[in-house]
Amino acid sequence: MSAEAADREAVSGSRPCTPPQASWFEFLLDPSLLEQHLRGLHPDPSPVQLIVQFLEQASKPSVNEQNQVQPPADNRRNRTLKLMALKVAAHLTWDLNLLEKGLTIPVLNMLLNEFLCVSRVPPGVKHVDLDLSTLPPTTAMAVLIYNRWAIRTIVLSSFPEKQTKPGPHQLNMMSLVQQEKELTENILSVLREQATDSITVLEGALNIKKDFYIHTLRSLDLLAADPSTANGETESSTAGLRISADHLHCQVHYDLGGIYFQQGCSDPSVYEKAKEHFRKLDSSASLCCVDEQRLAGYWSACKTLTETSDPGESQHTPYGQISCFMRNHDYGAFIRDNVTLSLPHSFRHSIQLELLHKLQQGDRALEEVCHKLCVCNAVRDALEGGVLGVSFHQLLIKPSKNTISFLLEVCTRSLDKEHRSETSKRKMAIFIKTVCNRLEDVSLAFMVSSHKLFMELLQDEEKKILMEQMRKSSATVNLSAKPLPSFYDIPASTSVNISQLEQQLILSLDPRHIRQILIELHGMAERPFWRVNSKWEVPVDYVNVILAIKDNLTRDLVYILMAKGLHCISIKDFAHARQLFTACLELVTEFSPKLRQVMLNELLLMEVRGHEAGAAEGNMERPPPDLVSRVRGYLEMRIHDLPLRQIVGEECVVFMLNWRENEYLTLQVPQSLVNSNPYIKLGQLIASTCKELPGPKESRRTAKELWEVVVQICSVSSQHKRSSDGRVSLLKQRESSMGILASSINLQYDFGLQEPLVLTTLISLFVRLHNIDDIVNEVTAEHISIWPSSLANLQSVDVEAVVVTLKELVNYALSLNPNNQSWLCTQADIYFVTNQYSAAMHYYLQAGTVCSDYFTKPVPPDVYTDQVLKRMIKCCSLLNCHTQCTASFVIKTGELAIHDSMDSFYDYIWDVTILEYLTCILFKEDPISDQHESAIKAIGQTELNSSNPEEVLQLAAQKRKKKFLQALAKLYF
């Protein structure tokens, strides 16, 4: 099997091409395709994307003959598109969780209004005036779904951090983003005005005990086919999906509880209503898809806010225990949470800040409470590997004996006795050691060092060092020291704290901890902390955008998160990189659409590199369709004034080539994009050339186009760019886009070009360029015949650049697959024509080894061609290893030096004439020598007798050839 055929087989077996993304108009032309598409495992586009596309096309305004913009036409095309959007939603069983997650408020509003129309909801009548019990089941269900969405949207819009959902791709433009924002606000305004009516409708639905029905794909098809017949069928409840009354009531209780809880901020008495709905839901939550964790939070909050909970019952939940603490100052809940880690870090610290605020207002009775709560939170931070807050460091400046005693008690109770992990014990040991180092009162330090935790957790060497430090401190205690500031005062000098926090800032990879550290640092000093580490670097394309952020804290946080994320990618720590970039994306989404798109681009680059790194390690699973779609989206993206990194475009094209997305690169990508995007232009030429291999002569047109582009790149220019080692680069200063094309092919192999056929094609192209310049020292490669055999202006080609590129390209390819016989032969030829004969023999032999199972099988003749064998013989001769060339024993009679231990090769000679001549020569030199005896023994083997049948002689020859080549391989490997 040829190398090219092996490449094709390997690729087809491990990297099947991703089917092209379906377009919305295909479903319009053949509606039967929709259900088949939705039944797919990972449909691309996804159901919510299809809804967006269908409604977007159906709502496009038209232009009349007077060039005036008109509302969307009510024609068959638009009605069909709207119906298909409804069918996709029906496929999702009208799950509001999925629809809200994937659709913007305007799109979902449009979808549900169409749903009301299709479901025969009487137009012009308020929903609150409808008697749901008398309406057809599908009609009543449509009203309920709309009103459930209305109050859920009101609740979600009140959250301070609202996730940005993807809309149509045109909304990336700033003007359209503003239009959508205004439209969303208008819809929310209407929903808030109608909130009371929606609540009344849903409250009334709880009194209906019969089951409901909701439209499915089948019932919607019936409506489209014959509305009059279908309406009767749906009214009789035979065509829809049955929804039990209990299931519906469960969902309504949850939604009503949420809206009442949201209204409780302005009217606390409403919390009772929310609690009542959540109480009815509590026993039946499993009947419907509700967020049980959020439900538990709602329930706990309602019980606390209504102040009617049983004190004994409240002990069963962490939040109930915290409520007891706020009333009775019992720290047990915080200590228990140090073991379970169930309460959010931010929640615990918010309680501490609330009490501290009350203390600063004059409630001195809370001083001890604040001290102890600070200790509990510090131990929790230590067990999570977090940074100890400034307040805890202030507390250790002059603590009381009772405070240290309480601290040791908290440390002891915070370690789970039954499930102590080594990690927890080590973190606690570090915390205790930190406390010892920070305590200036030596008596308190000895109090800690005598505790059983100190003795159990610290290593002997650590205990020895700490005890020695404490002894030295006890001898130099300054008893006349000035009174130290209190727990609440800002210290006069915070340089020690700042240096410690800066060190933690450099080491931390947790976005939450980085933010916490920066908040504390900005509270101590106002200076640019993004300069703390000179190795923090972000691309120059982004620097101006980030440094233009007006808020100093936000600027530092964005810069540091991006710099740390890029560093993690460079060391292939993709898990931490994803955390850092995600946190940065959430941050910039709040204030900068431009930086949001920048972070989306960097996340895409990270995902591409992560997948390619997995492929390089042997994971040949195809990338998910979502990732392929995002790469396509990036290549097609056109946003004005958005800083773009060249490397992102390069790696996206390489990604498409690696996974053989040739259909996209050659057929689906718009021609305007090819003309304007040089990355795609080069990728299209490479993909087209690879796709047509080997192909007829007519298919060489694209190969010629690629040839012309590369020749232009390699042409001698009056200005060369040289790298640091003085080598001429292929990147030229050009006014056209060829410079960018050059950088895409300019030895940028570290970003992951791995597709064997692409590498083989590029190697073949540069080999042909090399051979045109040097006809005598010809190098071989696969598919070399597809390239032009001559060059009109040979003098214009930068020969040095071609040679350097060819060498490094072959080296890179062999680093990916050292067993590709075609690349091995090309590498051997390169060494041969550059007079490196030992290295050439190494790669010639390795090429034979990989295709013959270490010479246990015959080497295919297309690998060891006549030219290869002649070059191997010449290599041996020029290395003064004449006996290794079986036809060169006559040279032994001369005075040439021989460096190949010729006596060891006698057993590998199968030509009796050569053996007879060798025996004669050795007899003349010394009849009793060991060499003569070895030659006699070799010629005396019966299987070499010329009277043997031809088959026996052939087997003898093959056996000796195999052993001879294996012996050579041992010498040169």
Side-chain angles (χ1 to χ4, degrees):
M1 180 186 296
S2 69
E4 185 271 335
D7 289 344
R8 286 183 176 278
E9 181 176 339
V11 169
S12 63
S14 60
R15 293 184 173 185
C17 288
T18 301
Q21 187 181 44
S23 299
W24 62 269
F25 59 80
E26 296 180 44
F27 304 107
L28 187 63
L29 297 174
D30 185 0
S32 64
L33 291 177
L34 180 61
E35 192 168 353
Q36 178 183 350
H37 176 81
L38 294 174
R39 283 200 301 265
L41 185 60
H42 297 292
D44 184 19
S46 65
V48 290
Q49 289 174 332
L50 276 179
I51 293 175
V52 172
Q53 292 177 15
F54 290 149
L55 293 181
E56 183 184 62
Q57 296 298 324
S59 60
K60 278 188 175 180
S62 58
V63 180
N64 61 14
E65 296 179 354
Q66 289 76 31
N67 204 27
Q68 296 175 333
V69 178
Q70 302 292 322
D74 183 18
N75 51 30
R76 180 181 177 185
R77 169 189 177 275
N78 289 348
R79 286 194 296 271
T80 303
L81 286 169
K82 293 175 183 178
L83 180 64
M84 287 194 293
L86 294 173
K87 291 171 72 173
V88 176
H91 169 75
L92 299 176
T93 64
W94 303 96
D95 187 335
L96 289 179
N97 290 322
L98 290 176
L99 295 175
E100 290 167 344
K101 184 177 179 181
L103 301 176
T104 60
I105 290 176
V107 173
L108 192 46
N109 180 64
M110 187 189 309
L111 177 72
L112 293 180
N113 275 288
E114 289 298 327
F115 185 40
L116 293 175
C117 294
V118 167
S119 301
R120 303 293 193 275
V121 176
V125 181
K126 289 185 175 182
H127 293 177
V128 72
D129 296 332
L130 297 173
D131 184 358
L132 298 183
S133 61
T134 62
L135 293 176
T138 52
T139 304
M141 194 63 187
V143 173
L144 292 177
I145 287 179
Y146 178 85
N147 286 279
R148 282 185 56 220
W149 169 75
I151 64 172
R152 288 164 63 101
T153 302
I154 295 171
V155 173
L156 289 174
S157 67
S158 67
F159 292 166
E161 294 185 3
K162 184 180 179 183
Q163 295 292 330
T164 303
K165 303 177 184 116
H169 62 85
Q170 291 91 345
L171 298 181
N172 285 327
M173 302 301 294
M174 286 300 298
S175 60
L176 294 183
V177 168
Q178 185 61 32
Q179 291 178 19
E180 181 177 337
K181 185 177 180 181
E182 293 175 358
L183 180 58
T184 300
E185 288 300 324
N186 292 337
I187 294 172
L188 287 173
S189 177
V190 173
L191 295 180
R192 293 188 184 106
E193 290 176 3
Q194 300 175 352
T196 303
D197 289 352
S198 294
I199 292 173
T200 302
V201 169
L202 295 177
E203 292 279 12
L206 296 175
N207 299 321
I208 301 176
K209 306 303 179 184
K210 65 179 181 179
D211 293 343
F212 291 79
Y213 286 79
I214 192 169
H215 278 302
T216 61
L217 274 76
R218 176 175 175 269
S219 64
L220 290 172
D221 278 332
L222 291 173
L223 282 173
D226 189 351
S228 58
T229 305
N231 191 42
E233 186 170 355
T234 54
E235 285 183 5
S236 63
S237 307
T238 59
L241 174 67
R242 187 176 70 86
I243 307 295
S244 69
D246 289 340
H247 183 93
L248 179 66
H249 292 172
C250 177
Q251 293 176 329
V252 171
H253 278 306
Y254 181 78
D255 295 335
L256 287 172
I259 191 67
Y260 282 136
F261 188 88
Q262 188 258 345
Q263 294 176 347
C265 299
S266 55
D267 184 6
S269 62
V270 182
Y271 285 127
E272 285 288 353
K273 293 183 178 180
K275 178 184 174 184
E276 183 63 21
H277 281 289
F278 290 134
R279 184 189 64 78
K280 293 179 180 179
L281 179 65
D282 190 46
S283 61
S284 57
S286 60
L287 293 175
C288 63
C289 300
V290 300
D291 187 337
E292 295 191 14
Q293 186 175 2
R294 176 167 289 184
L295 174 61
Y298 272 139
W299 178 243
S300 178
C302 286
K303 290 196 297 181
T304 301
L305 292 167
T306 54
E307 297 184 353
T308 57
S309 56
D310 181 8
E313 180 187 2
S314 66
Q315 299 297 323
H316 295 296
T317 64
Y319 289 96
Q321 295 170 14
I322 298 303
S323 177
C324 291
F325 162 78
M326 297 296 286
R327 292 193 297 267
N328 307 321
H329 300 160
D330 176 14
Y331 308 95
F334 287 96
I335 298 174
R336 285 189 289 273
D337 184 62
N338 286 349
V339 178
T340 61
L341 306 178
S342 56
L343 291 175
H345 175 275
S346 57
F347 178 73
R348 291 178 54 131
H349 281 272
S350 66
I351 295 175
Q352 179 181 336
L353 291 174
E354 181 181 347
L355 293 177
L356 183 59
H357 178 68
K358 291 181 180 178
L359 176 61
Q360 291 172 337
Q361 289 180 333
D363 190 353
R364 305 305 296 180
L366 291 176
E367 183 170 3
E368 183 182 358
V369 177
C370 287
H371 285 190
K372 292 186 175 181
L373 183 54
C374 178
V375 168
C376 292
N377 284 343
V379 174
R380 164 71 179 266
D381 291 339
L383 288 172
E384 288 188 319
V387 179
L388 300 179
V390 175
S391 56
F392 180 70
H393 285 292
Q394 286 292 101
L395 179 61
L396 291 182
I397 291 177
K398 193 178 180 182
S400 65
K401 183 177 179 180
N402 288 337
T403 299
I404 298 301
S405 177
F406 180 76
L407 184 148
L408 293 172
E409 177 191 353
V410 173
C411 289
T412 303
R413 294 172 59 186
S414 297
L415 278 179
D416 188 354
K417 296 180 180 179
E418 297 181 359
H419 306 95
R420 286 187 182 183
S421 68
E422 290 300 322
T423 303
S424 298
K425 290 192 289 186
R426 188 61 200 150
K427 289 178 180 177
M428 184 63 77
I430 294 173
F431 175 70
I432 293 174
K433 187 165 66 171
T434 301
V435 171
C436 277
N437 286 327
R438 294 285 297 167
L439 288 173
E440 297 183 5
D441 188 333
V442 179
S443 63
L444 295 178
F446 277 109
M447 178 179 174
V448 174
S449 64
S450 62
H451 195 270
K452 64 177 183 178
L453 276 182
F454 182 93
M455 307 305 294
E456 290 177 2
L457 300 181
L458 270 71
Q459 299 174 1
D460 291 341
E461 187 64 25
E462 292 176 319
K463 288 186 283 188
K464 181 179 178 181
I465 293 173
L466 279 173
M467 295 300 290
E468 186 63 28
Q469 290 175 348
M470 286 188 287
R471 289 192 186 96
K472 291 180 180 179
S473 298
S474 63
T476 58
V477 172
N478 184 4
L479 298 178
S480 61
K482 293 169 62 177
L484 294 169
S486 70
F487 174 64
Y488 318 100
D489 298 331
I490 298 176
S493 173
T494 57
S495 59
V496 175
N497 284 336
I498 287 180
S499 63
Q500 290 176 342
L501 289 173
E502 287 179 343
Q503 182 68 18
Q504 291 292 336
L505 184 64
I506 293 173
L507 297 176
S508 179
L509 290 175
D510 186 331
R512 181 172 59 84
H513 288 162
I514 293 171
R515 182 175 182 274
Q516 177 190 346
I517 295 168
L518 283 173
I519 290 173
E520 296 186 8
L521 284 172
H522 277 272
M524 297 177 181
E526 278 298 329
R527 64 171 185 253
F529 289 100
W530 60 270
R531 295 179 177 175
V532 166
N533 189 351
S534 61
K535 295 184 179 179
W536 286 339
E537 295 180 351
V538 301
V540 293
D541 311 80
Y542 304 154
V543 170
N544 291 336
V545 181
I546 295 175
L547 296 185
I549 298 174
K550 295 181 180 179
D551 182 71
N552 295 337
L553 173 61
T554 304
R555 181 186 61 226
D556 287 348
L557 186 54
V558 172
Y559 189 99
I560 293 172
L561 289 175
M562 180 179 287
K564 285 177 175 283
L566 291 170
H567 171 72
C568 288
I569 292 176
S570 68
I571 61 175
K572 297 186 179 181
D573 183 1
F574 297 107
H576 280 116
R578 184 176 292 104
Q579 293 177 7
L580 292 160
F581 278 175
T582 302
C584 191
L585 174 63
E586 293 176 359
L587 176 63
V588 300
T589 296
E590 299 176 358
F591 65 89
S592 175
K594 184 181 293 186
L595 278 175
R596 176 181 180 272
Q597 190 59 55
V598 164
M599 291 313 305
L600 288 173
N601 294 346
E602 291 299 319
L603 276 166
L604 173 62
L605 178 60
M606 182 205 66
E607 296 290 349
V608 166
R609 285 185 173 175
H611 198 85
E612 294 299 324
E617 294 171 1
N619 179 15
M620 303 309 293
E621 183 179 352
R622 282 201 60 81
D626 174 65
L627 180 56
V628 177
S629 296
R630 288 165 59 198
V631 170
R632 292 177 179 178
Y634 177 84
L635 293 174
E636 298 174 10
M637 182 176 61
R638 287 292 177 269
I639 300 179
H640 184 60
D641 289 339
L642 181 68
L644 296 175
R645 279 214 292 161
Q646 180 175 314
I647 190 69
V648 183
E650 291 174 353
E651 297 201 28
C652 283
V653 171
V654 169
F655 175 85
M656 302 297 276
L657 289 172
N658 279 344
W659 295 99
R660 305 203 75 171
E661 293 292 332
N662 294 339
E663 291 295 326
Y664 173 78
L665 289 173
T666 58
L667 298 178
Q668 296 182 12
V669 62
Q671 188 60 38
S672 60
L673 193 60
V674 175
N675 297 334
S676 61
N677 191 324
Y679 311 127
I680 295 184
K681 174 64 176 177
L682 184 62
Q684 185 187 62
L685 290 174
I686 295 175
S688 299
T689 303
C690 294
K691 182 181 177 183
E692 295 173 355
L693 288 176
K697 290 185 178 180
E698 292 78 12
S699 68
R700 298 180 184 176
R701 180 180 57 83
T702 54
K704 184 178 179 181
E705 291 181 16
L706 179 59
W707 167 270
E708 292 173 349
V709 168
V710 175
V711 168
Q712 185 179 359
I713 294 171
C714 297
S715 296
V716 176
S717 173
S718 58
Q719 292 182 341
H720 295 292
K721 279 194 174 182
R722 291 186 176 270
S723 58
S724 57
D725 60 357
R727 245 184 4 220
V728 176
S729 169
L730 294 186
L731 180 59
K732 307 297 180 186
Q733 292 282 3
R734 298 187 186 277
E735 295 179 358
S736 69
S737 61
M738 288 300 111
I740 302 179
L741 285 176
S743 69
S744 296
I745 200 170
N746 180 32
L747 308 181
Q748 298 288 339
Y749 311 124
D750 57 326
F751 61 63
L753 186 59
Q754 299 172 14
E755 168 56 38
L757 192 54
V758 172
L759 289 171
T760 298
T761 302
L762 292 175
I763 289 172
S764 173
L765 189 154
F766 280 98
V767 165
R768 171 64 86 184
L769 269 175
H770 171 275
N771 291 347
I772 289 177
D773 176 67
D774 191 349
I775 302 176
V776 176
N777 294 318
E778 188 177 80
V779 177
T780 59
E782 281 191 295
H783 311 305
I784 203 166
S785 61
I786 69 173
W787 312 110
S789 57
S790 61
L791 196 60
N793 191 9
L794 181 60
Q795 293 76 16
S796 67
V797 175
D798 189 337
V799 177
E800 181 186 356
V802 171
V803 172
V804 169
T805 302
L806 176 58
K807 289 180 179 178
E808 297 200 19
L809 182 54
V810 175
N811 285 333
Y812 171 76
L814 287 174
S815 71
L816 297 177
N817 181 8
N819 294 324
N820 186 300
Q821 62 200 38
S822 173
W823 300 344
L824 289 169
C825 287
T826 301
Q827 182 76 302
D829 284 345
I830 292 172
Y831 281 122
F832 180 84
V833 300
T834 55
N835 303 325
Q836 301 178 68
Y837 302 114
S838 179
M841 278 295 292
H842 169 89
Y843 284 100
Y844 282 134
L845 288 167
Q846 190 172 345
T849 298
V850 299
C851 62
S852 64
D853 292 339
Y854 199 68
F855 301 115
T856 57
K857 301 174 183 177
V859 179
D862 61 338
V863 177
Y864 276 1
T865 61
D866 289 342
Q867 180 180 345
V868 169
L869 292 174
K870 289 177 181 178
R871 287 186 169 183
M872 291 175 71
I873 292 171
K874 187 174 181 180
C875 286
C876 295
S877 179
L878 292 172
L879 289 169
N880 290 328
C881 299
H882 304 292
T883 314
Q884 293 174 9
C885 310
T886 55
S888 62
F889 285 104
V890 289
I891 301 175
K892 179 69 174 70
T893 60
E895 296 181 354
L896 294 175
I898 297 178
H899 302 152
D900 61 354
S901 302
M902 61 174 288
D903 303 333
S904 61
F905 290 101
Y906 296 162
D907 287 337
Y908 305 141
I909 301 173
W910 62 89
D911 191 310
V912 176
T913 304
I914 294 177
L915 285 173
E916 289 175 345
Y917 183 77
L918 174 63
T919 304
C920 181
I921 293 296
L922 293 174
F923 178 80
K924 290 180 180 179
E925 289 185 352
D926 186 356
I928 60 172
S929 65
D930 292 337
Q931 292 87 345
H932 183 254
E933 290 294 327
S934 298
I936 292 294
K937 181 179 178 182
I939 200 173
Q941 298 179 70
T942 56
E943 56 189 358
L944 295 180
N945 192 319
S946 58
S947 300
N948 288 335
E950 185 64 24
E951 293 81 2
V952 175
L953 294 175
Q954 287 292 333
L955 287 173
Q958 291 296 335
K959 176 182 176 182
R960 283 159 176 76
K961 286 179 183 179
K962 178 183 73 174
K963 289 185 177 181
F964 173 62
L965 291 171
Q966 288 174 343
L968 284 182
K970 290 179 181 179
L971 286 176
Y972 287 99
F973 284 2

